[in-house]
Amino acid sequence: MSAPSLDYDKLFTARLQAARARPYLATALFALHAVESRHVPTMGVDRYWRCYVSPRFVERTPVEELAGVWVHEVSHLLRDHHGRSDRVAEERGLTGPGERLRMNIAADCEINDDAFGDGLVKPAGAVEPALLGLPTGQLMEDYLRRFQLGSRTLELAWLDCGSGADGLEREWELGPDGAHGLSEQERDAVRFRVAQGITGRPGSAPEGWQRWAEEAFHPPQPWRALLGAAVRSAASAPGAGEDYSYGRPSRRSAGVPGAVLPSLRRRPPYVSVIIDTSGSVSDTELGSALLEVAAISRAVGGRRDLVTVVPCDAAARIAHPLCRAEGIPLLGGGGTDLRTGFAKALRGHPGPDVIVVLTDGQTPWPDSRPPCRTVVGLFPRQHRHSGWDEDDPDYVPDTPPDWARVVHIG
Amino acid sequence: MPTHTPFAVPTLPSEPGPTADTASQLDIAGDLLSLLRCTTTEPRPDIQLEALTLAVAADLPVLLWGEPGIGKTAALTQLAAALDLPLTTVIASVHEPSDFSGLPIVGDDPAEQGVPMAPPDWAVRLVRAGRGLLFLDELSTAPPAVQAALLRLVLERRIGALQLPPGVRIVAAANPRSSAADGWELSPPLANRFVHLRWTHDHEVVVRGLGGTWPRATLPRLVPERLSEAVDFARRAVCTMLAARPELTHQLPNSETRRGGPWPSPRSWEMSLRLIAFATASGVSREVLSLLVRGTVGDGPGLELLAGLDRLDLPDPEVLLADPTAAELPQRGDLRQAVLDGVVAAVRARPGKVRWDAAWALLVRALETGAPDLVVVPATTLASLRRDDWDVPTEIENLAGVVTLSRRADEAAARAKEATRTAARARR
């Protein structure tokens, strides 16, 4: 039996259905360039936005399933699975074709757990986290940690979504110099347009895609680095910490008789940490954040006795042992209202240079700016809708004020 | 000339004295060192070096962000050589504010004559030379007061009482926040003055370079005939974009992740405009321009501007409607659909039988030269624009396949809906 030639009409009918079912992905779907290939088992993409299609696969697959495959393949490219695979391979030292297969499977899990349904059929043989006994809603990097190739993945060994999914170049791909490839800038432009379409019309795309759109060009950074930078910058900015002052003349003054030059002086910053948990933040999270703040303020020249912790109610149970171990003086407990925490911190002598607030944000904030720099470490709320009050549906928790630098923790 | 020390007479002729031995060993070491220094270059496309060169040519201060030890200084040395500029390196973090704002020198009568601020020697030499590349290294680890003093240097090009001549270009380098454990972050005013470029190393380049061959970037050349055209294009690009998105004109970085990086302000938009003009006049690739623009106004606004440039590149719907048979449609599907949508929108804006027919001819042409699914939406919209007295053109017959395609997609969608409903029921 001779191999069939590619049924482009069927393939493009499927793409049209995919674009109708997922209008926010239409730009990306249409940007893909279809290439007939007898080397792919089904369909696969490379990082230059070419889509390799097996004619036999198109022949035997119904249109509605092909539509699902289109969306699946374009998701690999939008979610930058090839770039992320390369990075994860380098970070964790994963080499070899087996590892790339694992990356392809993990990437498939990230896509498939919320790609289908709502007018799109799940193609036969699509890998889902449940198949590997894994929870849904994780990222590829997380899935990758949680399974090994084994009996459960045996039947997936044929799976191949191309280098666009796992970063490993295939021999039969056209490569960077081949026809109809997209340059890096063009790829970014397409991804940007899709992201803009999603954020511009929130509500039309599922949550997973909205999260992707928000983070596509601003990937979240590790909160430790951000909190560290915020505290460090607050503690060392003019007026606090290490800077030039006229308090003592510079040693260079000898060279310019008669002139008074400022010298670099280190004045250790006073840091107050206000903790408000209201019971919704886990002890581990709070403990690690508090340790982080203590370590950072020490690094910028603060001494132990210059870091004070102002605990608010429930937090006291963690703050006490931690501070005893760290030698940080504790100020007394207080109510759940953060404003009392601010007042207490500011009453100290001398007043703090920096106030670091660790909170989940479910609190009223002071009306006016405190006379020192404020960094807010914001914990995620444990329940997605806990800000919604059954007795008062109109209740909206205050967001941290403009004068505070806000770092999202976790 | 052989040297002899009368006190150290060698006991054996084959064993030279310690002094002679040391001298000759040092000579040999020198030979070995010069052999090691002897490397060649080869032309190799390197977009980050091209971007750096273009920004320096446009006289905009560049800030290279890169991990320590990846060859930022080496790149600067090469750039200085390529531009034939003397290189002056100043490590910002080991200087005091007065090194940049000038040291006060008290004269005979300070009340009468004032206290002049004397500039440091490197600045005097730079001004005397009239041209040069000033490299401010370790910017992110400079204390805030030094950064404040640098602001004036970068902003007004002044060091104490000295004004840097126009022939001096400024490049700075900083370590990213993740690797600068004890660093300060860049203040927004200073960050807004720079073109930010991420400096990364290419594994292949490093291996080949250690083997003796370093890349030599070909410098972008400005074409004199294209200058005024380039200025027009750049002005149109930036103004069209800001007219449509006024909120992007000025946006202080509001989230922690964007601090210390590029952000849009009238100043950085003007820098973008200059970069687009330079890129157009020298014909560098969109890739290079993308690095530069995103490094000037930030990723989001930069990408939006670049998307606007792509649209400026698309064929004008009116031109296409005037002569549909000669139409050149873009190959890329998403761009092609954008053009067809534009054509239909133009017909809707100014309807007329001739224009309507021309649009159909264009759709047929699109069908003959590309994927059929792109034509479905424009064709449906165009059909809905029909007036009662307009006869259906014969070309529509050629679009019969599109109608079938659309119907089959509808059928597939109905089957998919049924299937998902069944699956949902089964789960329940």
Side-chain angles (χ1 to χ4, degrees), chain A residues 112-410:
Chain A
N112 290 351
D113 60 8
D114 66 348
F116 305 115
D118 191 22
L120 215 54
V121 178
K122 185 174 76 152
V127 186
E128 282 191 316
L131 194 71
L132 302 167
L134 299 175
T136 58
Q138 310 273 305
L139 291 177
M140 170 202 154
E141 288 82 353
D142 301 324
Y143 283 127
L144 203 52
R145 279 182 221 278
R146 305 178 71 150
F147 74 94
Q148 288 299 326
L149 295 181
S151 56
R152 270 178 167 172
T153 56
L154 265 184
E155 56 194 281
L156 305 177
W158 56 268
L159 181 140
D160 188 352
C161 289
S163 62
D166 56 22
L168 182 73
E169 307 280 336
R170 311 295 201 270
E171 239 170 64
W172 37 267
E173 288 178 351
L174 297 176
D177 304 321
H180 301 298
L182 264 60
S183 70
E184 196 180 345
Q185 188 260 326
E186 290 172 317
R187 296 186 310 244
D188 275 356
V190 172
R191 293 175 64 229
F192 179 73
R193 274 226 292 286
V194 173
Q196 223 186 4
I198 291 173
T199 48
R201 272 171 308 182
S204 63
E207 207 171 310
W209 277 113
Q210 286 184 27
R211 203 171 48 231
W212 168 81
E214 279 160 24
E215 294 173 358
F217 289 93
H218 294 286
Q221 286 187 15
W223 63 264
R224 273 165 218 281
L226 289 176
L227 187 66
V231 173
R232 195 180 296 127
S233 134
S236 59
E242 187 176 7
D243 206 352
Y244 289 86
S245 89
Y246 286 89
R248 188 178 292 185
S250 166
R251 57 191 163 77
R252 286 187 177 187
S253 297
V256 269
V260 180
L261 298 179
S263 64
L264 189 63
R265 298 293 305 152
R266 169 165 283 182
R267 191 170 73 79
Y270 292 85
V271 179
S272 277
V273 187
I274 304 176
I275 304 176
D276 156 54
T277 55
S278 323
S280 61
V281 180
S282 81
D283 292 7
T284 6
E285 276 181 317
L286 186 63
S288 73
L290 186 54
L291 271 181
E292 198 69 21
V293 173
I296 295 157
S297 50
R298 248 201 316 282
V300 295
R303 300 190 307 265
R304 279 183 181 181
D305 56 314
L306 303 181
V307 180
T308 50
V309 175
V310 183
C312 283
D313 80 4
R317 72 187 183 281
I318 313 124
H320 279 290
L322 193 70
C323 295
R324 251 204 316 276
E326 283 279 304
I328 297 170
L330 270 179
L331 294 184
T336 46
D337 191 339
L338 256 189
R339 289 175 296 195
T340 59
F342 268 94
K344 195 167 292 159
L346 290 170
R347 268 204 302 275
H349 281 289
D353 297 304
V354 187
I355 289 183
V356 181
V357 189
L358 300 175
T359 176
D360 61 356
Q362 306 287 318
T363 175
W365 295 91
D367 295 328
S368 60
R369 183 184 194 132
C372 64
R373 294 182 175 80
T374 309
V375 175
V376 176
L378 208 57
F379 289 103
R381 272 170 279 139
Q382 254 176 355
H383 307 290
R384 194 152 284 171
H385 299 293
S386 67
W388 186 77
D389 187 344
E390 259 182 22
D391 301 325
D392 180 10
D394 295 328
Y395 170 73
V396 178
D398 292 342
T399 50
D402 295 340
W403 39 259
R405 293 182 58 167
V406 182
V407 175
H408 293 267
I409 293 180

